[in-house]
Amino acid sequence: MPQERPAPLDNRNARKLFLHRHLLGTPPKGTGKGADLTGLIQDLGFVQVDSVNTLARAHDMILFARRPTYRTGNLAPLLERDRDLFEHWTHDAAILPMAFLPHLRHRFGRDAERLRARWPRWQGDAFLGELRNVQDHVTRHGEVCSGDLKSTPAAKSTGWWDWHPSKAALEYLWRSGVLAISRRQGFRKYYDLAERVYEHPAECPDLKESLDWLNAAALDRLGFATSGEIAAFWDIATADEARNWCQAELGENRLTEAEITGADGRPRRVFLRPGTIETIASLADPPGRIRVLSPFDPVLRDRNRAERLFGFHYRIEIFVPAPKRRYGYYVFPLLEGDCLVGRIDMKANRETGALVVTRVWPEPAIRFGAGRIARLCAELDRVARFAGLDYVTWAPDWLVT
């Protein structure tokens, strides 16, 4: 019997569905604090944390793009007082809903095994001898930061991430679930025993139950995905576990397949829930306003997917020497409707109170006429207020043509 051909999904409708699932398909609204903010992060799954702060932290930019009323002080009470959220790891450091913790506990044991195999080659093995000392210190004295424990420096240079053994021990104990991040001061992490931070520790479900939840939750937030993209969402399920889950769900008719047309016209087969394609007609077109996105926004975290879906080639050019960079080292993508129309290089000048725009690079075939520039100016005024700045300044040659 010939295999049934997957349903087609054209590129425009795929972009619309993807943006709606990532909460960028409707005009932004909401209080951006309290239960509304917790709900937003639950709907996204998590928000990535990053130390770069040319304008605002990555997680703050991600939340602001969806809630213009959000301010940076709205997050800490949910993390540090109410404990509705916690900080741990997906593909990178992230803020996650505490309600998801039972299923995410499976990563603790998996990370412990993985890090014990990898880190001695990276950090040396001195941190292994510090694990008991660090855990005992935290048990007796309460929360600590790495500076409280600093002793012997790293034995050899390993690049940017040279950690002294106690710092590596703290990170290992955090990643393996013994410790938890109790708060941040500035961007410095403070660690405490997990049972003091996770105030209501739920039991870890069995692995199959959690894999069902993790894979389903990933697909529901993506809208459509390959099995590899499902596995990568939380970075807990292995590629084989996600692949086997997809095949089992497909056999039970809880999943179906579609063939999505990429921005380059090439098709790609993905999994999605039955009936998903039929719901797209009821979705509003994404708003025409311009939004500045964090380089770590969920719609961009998979750079290859962003290129396939939007035709947007995006890499942070950290390791490219300045004369050879096409763009600035840390530039912000610009979303308009269902298109990524360009990228902007800007930073905050805290001394003058200015948001300084140095360059805007339109995407090929995108023209920045008077209307688009007006929409960009309106967004930058919003961004400036969000960042605590007073006005926007523009370099004389800001528009690259």
Coordinates of all heavy atoms in Angstrom, one line a residue, residues 83 86 88 98 101 105 108 132 134-143 173-174 176-182 190-203:
R83 N 8.8 32.0 44.3 CA 9.4 30.7 43.8 C 8.4 30.1 42.8 O 8.3 28.9 42.7 CB 9.6 29.7 45.0 CG 10.6 30.2 46.0 CD 12.0 30.5 45.5 NE 12.9 30.7 46.6 CZ 14.1 31.2 46.4 NH1 14.5 31.5 45.1 NH2 15.0 31.4 47.4
F86 N 12.2 29.2 38.5 CA 13.5 28.8 39.0 C 14.5 28.9 37.8 O 14.1 29.0 36.6 CB 13.5 27.5 39.7 CG 13.4 26.3 38.7 CD1 14.5 25.5 38.4 CD2 12.2 25.9 38.2 CE1 14.4 24.4 37.5 CE2 12.0 24.9 37.3 CZ 13.1 24.1 37.0
H88 N 17.6 27.2 35.8 CA 18.4 26.0 35.6 C 18.8 25.9 34.1 O 19.2 27.0 33.6 CB 17.6 24.7 36.0 CG 18.6 23.6 36.5 ND1 19.1 22.7 35.7 CD2 19.1 23.4 37.7 CE1 20.0 21.9 36.4 NE2 20.0 22.4 37.6
M98 N 8.4 26.8 38.0 CA 8.5 25.8 39.0 C 7.6 24.6 38.8 O 7.9 23.5 39.2 CB 8.3 26.4 40.4 CG 8.7 25.6 41.5 SD 10.5 25.3 41.7 CE 11.0 26.9 42.4
L101 N 9.1 21.6 37.2 CA 10.3 21.0 37.9 C 10.2 19.4 38.0 O 11.2 18.8 37.7 CB 10.5 21.6 39.3 CG 11.7 21.0 40.1 CD1 13.0 21.2 39.4 CD2 11.7 21.6 41.5
R105 N 13.5 17.2 36.5 CA 14.4 16.6 37.5 C 15.2 15.5 36.8 O 16.3 15.2 37.2 CB 13.7 16.0 38.7 CG 13.2 17.1 39.7 CD 12.6 16.4 40.9 NE 12.1 17.3 41.8 CZ 12.8 17.9 42.8 NH1 14.1 17.6 42.9 NH2 12.3 18.8 43.6
F108 N 18.8 16.3 36.0 CA 19.9 16.4 37.0 C 20.8 15.2 37.0 O 22.0 15.3 36.9 CB 19.2 16.5 38.4 CG 18.4 17.7 38.7 CD1 17.5 17.7 39.7 CD2 18.5 18.8 37.9 CE1 16.7 18.9 39.9 CE2 17.7 19.9 38.1 CZ 16.8 20.0 39.1
R132 N 32.3 17.7 48.1 CA 31.9 17.5 49.5 C 32.1 18.7 50.3 O 31.2 19.1 51.1 CB 32.6 16.2 50.1 CG 32.2 16.0 51.6 CD 30.7 16.0 51.9 NE 30.1 14.9 51.1 CZ 28.8 14.7 51.1 NH1 28.0 15.6 51.8 NH2 28.2 13.7 50.5
V134 N 32.3 21.9 49.4 CA 31.3 22.9 49.0 C 29.9 22.6 49.5 O 29.2 23.5 50.1 CB 31.3 23.1 47.5 CG1 30.2 24.0 47.0 CG2 32.7 23.7 47.0
Q135 N 29.5 21.4 49.3 CA 28.2 21.0 49.8 C 28.1 21.2 51.3 O 27.0 21.7 51.8 CB 27.8 19.6 49.4 CG 26.4 19.2 49.8 CD 26.0 17.8 49.2 OE1 26.7 17.2 48.4 NE2 24.9 17.2 49.7
D136 N 29.1 20.7 52.0 CA 29.1 20.9 53.5 C 29.0 22.3 53.9 O 28.3 22.7 54.9 CB 30.3 20.2 54.1 CG 30.2 18.7 54.1 OD1 29.1 18.2 53.8 OD2 31.2 18.0 54.3
H137 N 29.8 23.2 53.2 CA 29.8 24.6 53.5 C 28.5 25.2 53.3 O 28.0 26.0 54.2 CB 30.9 25.3 52.6 CG 31.0 26.8 52.9 ND1 31.9 27.3 53.8 CD2 30.3 27.9 52.4 CE1 31.7 28.6 53.8 NE2 30.8 29.0 53.0
V138 N 27.8 24.9 52.3 CA 26.5 25.5 52.0 C 25.5 25.0 53.0 O 24.6 25.7 53.5 CB 26.0 25.2 50.6 CG1 24.6 25.7 50.3 CG2 27.0 25.8 49.5
T139 N 25.6 23.7 53.4 CA 24.7 23.1 54.4 C 24.8 23.9 55.7 O 23.8 24.2 56.4 CB 25.0 21.6 54.6 OG1 24.8 20.9 53.3 CG2 24.1 21.0 55.6
R140 N 26.0 24.2 56.1 CA 26.2 24.8 57.4 C 26.0 26.3 57.4 O 25.4 26.9 58.3 CB 27.7 24.6 57.9 CG 28.0 23.2 58.3 CD 29.3 23.1 59.0 NE 30.4 23.7 58.3 CZ 31.2 23.1 57.4 NH1 31.0 21.8 57.2 NH2 32.2 23.7 56.8
H141 N 26.4 27.0 56.3 CA 26.4 28.5 56.3 C 25.3 29.1 55.4 O 25.1 30.3 55.5 CB 27.8 29.0 55.8 CG 28.9 28.5 56.7 ND1 29.1 29.0 58.0 CD2 29.9 27.6 56.5 CE1 30.1 28.4 58.5 NE2 30.6 27.5 57.6
G142 N 24.6 28.3 54.6 CA 23.6 28.9 53.8 C 24.2 29.4 52.4 O 25.2 29.0 52.0
E143 N 23.4 30.2 51.7 CA 23.7 30.5 50.3 C 25.1 31.1 50.2 O 25.6 31.9 51.1 CB 22.7 31.4 49.7 CG 22.6 32.8 50.4 CD 21.6 33.7 49.6 OE1 20.8 33.3 48.9 OE2 21.8 35.0 49.8
L173 N 27.3 21.0 41.2 CA 26.3 20.7 42.2 C 24.9 21.3 41.8 O 23.9 20.7 42.1 CB 26.7 21.1 43.6 CG 27.9 20.3 44.2 CD1 28.4 21.1 45.4 CD2 27.5 18.9 44.6
W174 N 25.0 22.5 41.2 CA 23.8 23.1 40.7 C 23.2 22.3 39.5 O 22.0 21.9 39.5 CB 24.0 24.5 40.3 CG 22.9 25.2 39.5 CD1 21.6 25.2 39.8 CD2 23.0 25.8 38.2 NE1 20.9 25.9 38.8 CE2 21.7 26.3 37.9 CE3 24.1 26.1 37.4 CZ2 21.5 26.9 36.7 CZ3 23.8 26.8 36.2 CH2 22.5 27.2 35.8
S176 N 23.6 19.3 38.8 CA 23.2 17.9 39.1 C 22.1 17.9 40.2 O 21.6 16.9 40.6 CB 24.4 17.1 39.7 OG 24.9 17.8 40.8
G177 N 21.5 19.1 40.5 CA 20.3 19.2 41.4 C 20.6 19.2 42.9 O 19.6 19.3 43.6
V178 N 21.8 19.1 43.3 CA 22.1 19.2 44.8 C 21.9 20.6 45.3 O 21.3 20.8 46.3 CB 23.5 18.7 45.1 CG1 23.8 18.9 46.6 CG2 23.7 17.3 44.6
L179 N 22.3 21.6 44.5 CA 22.2 23.0 44.8 C 21.2 23.6 43.9 O 20.9 23.1 42.8 CB 23.5 23.8 44.8 CG 24.6 23.3 45.7 CD1 25.8 24.2 45.5 CD2 24.2 23.2 47.1
A180 N 20.7 24.8 44.2 CA 19.8 25.6 43.3 C 20.2 27.0 43.4 O 20.8 27.5 44.4 CB 18.4 25.4 43.7
I181 N 19.9 27.8 42.4 CA 20.2 29.3 42.5 C 19.1 29.9 43.3 O 17.9 29.9 42.9 CB 20.3 29.8 41.1 CG1 21.5 29.2 40.4 CG2 20.4 31.4 41.1 CD1 21.6 29.7 38.9
S182 N 19.5 30.5 44.4 CA 18.5 31.1 45.3 C 18.2 32.6 44.9 O 17.0 33.0 45.1 CB 19.0 31.1 46.7 OG 20.2 31.8 46.8
Y190 N 23.9 33.3 43.4 CA 24.0 32.7 44.8 C 23.3 31.4 44.8 O 22.2 31.2 44.4 CB 23.3 33.7 45.8 CG 24.2 34.9 46.1 CD1 24.3 36.0 45.2 CD2 25.0 34.9 47.2 CE1 25.2 37.0 45.4 CE2 25.8 36.0 47.5 CZ 25.9 37.1 46.6 OH 26.7 38.1 46.9
Y191 N 24.0 30.4 45.4 CA 23.5 29.0 45.5 C 23.2 28.6 46.9 O 23.8 29.0 47.9 CB 24.7 28.1 45.0 CG 25.3 28.4 43.7 CD1 26.2 29.4 43.6 CD2 25.0 27.7 42.5 CE1 26.8 29.7 42.3 CE2 25.6 27.9 41.3 CZ 26.5 29.0 41.2 OH 27.1 29.2 40.0
D192 N 22.1 27.8 47.0 CA 21.8 27.2 48.3 C 21.3 25.8 48.0 O 21.2 25.3 46.9 CB 20.6 28.0 48.9 CG 20.5 27.9 50.4 OD1 21.2 26.9 51.0 OD2 19.9 28.7 51.1
L193 N 21.1 25.0 49.1 CA 20.6 23.7 49.0 C 19.3 23.7 48.2 O 18.4 24.5 48.4 CB 20.5 23.0 50.3 CG 21.7 22.7 51.1 CD1 21.3 22.1 52.5 CD2 22.7 21.9 50.4
A194 N 19.2 22.7 47.3 CA 17.9 22.7 46.5 C 16.7 22.6 47.3 O 15.7 23.3 47.0 CB 18.0 21.5 45.5
E195 N 16.7 21.9 48.4 CA 15.5 21.8 49.2 C 15.1 23.1 49.9 O 13.9 23.2 50.3 CB 15.6 20.6 50.3 CG 16.8 20.8 51.2 CD 18.0 20.0 50.8 OE1 18.2 19.8 49.5 OE2 18.7 19.5 51.6
R196 N 16.0 24.0 50.0 CA 15.7 25.3 50.6 C 15.1 26.2 49.5 O 14.4 27.2 49.9 CB 16.9 25.9 51.2 CG 17.5 25.2 52.4 CD 18.8 25.8 52.9 NE 19.4 25.1 54.0 CZ 20.7 25.2 54.3 NH1 21.5 26.0 53.6 NH2 21.2 24.5 55.3
V197 N 15.4 26.0 48.3 CA 14.9 26.8 47.2 C 13.7 26.3 46.6 O 12.7 27.0 46.4 CB 16.0 27.0 46.1 CG1 15.5 27.8 45.0 CG2 17.3 27.7 46.7
Y198 N 13.7 25.0 46.3 CA 12.5 24.3 45.8 C 11.7 23.9 47.0 O 11.8 22.8 47.5 CB 12.9 23.1 45.0 CG 13.9 23.3 43.9 CD1 14.8 22.3 43.5 CD2 14.0 24.5 43.2 CE1 15.8 22.5 42.5 CE2 14.9 24.8 42.2 CZ 15.8 23.8 41.9 OH 16.7 24.0 40.9
E199 N 10.8 24.8 47.4 CA 10.2 24.7 48.7 C 9.2 23.5 48.8 O 8.9 23.0 49.9 CB 9.5 26.0 49.1 CG 10.5 27.2 49.3 CD 9.8 28.5 49.6 OE1 8.6 28.6 49.4 OE2 10.5 29.4 50.1
H200 N 8.7 23.1 47.7 CA 7.7 22.0 47.6 C 8.2 21.0 46.7 O 7.7 20.9 45.6 CB 6.3 22.5 47.3 CG 5.8 23.7 48.1 ND1 5.4 23.5 49.4 CD2 5.7 25.0 47.9 CE1 5.0 24.6 49.9 NE2 5.2 25.6 49.0
P201 N 9.2 20.3 47.1 CA 9.9 19.3 46.1 C 8.9 18.2 45.8 O 8.6 17.3 46.6 CB 11.1 18.8 46.9 CG 10.8 19.0 48.3 CD 9.9 20.2 48.4
A202 N 8.5 18.1 44.5 CA 7.6 17.0 44.1 C 8.5 15.9 43.7 O 9.6 16.0 43.3 CB 6.8 17.5 42.9
E203 N 7.9 14.7 43.8 CA 8.6 13.5 43.4 C 8.8 13.5 41.8 O 8.0 14.1 41.1 CB 7.9 12.2 43.8 CG 7.8 12.0 45.3 CD 7.2 10.6 45.6 OE1 7.0 9.9 44.6 OE2 7.0 10.4 46.8

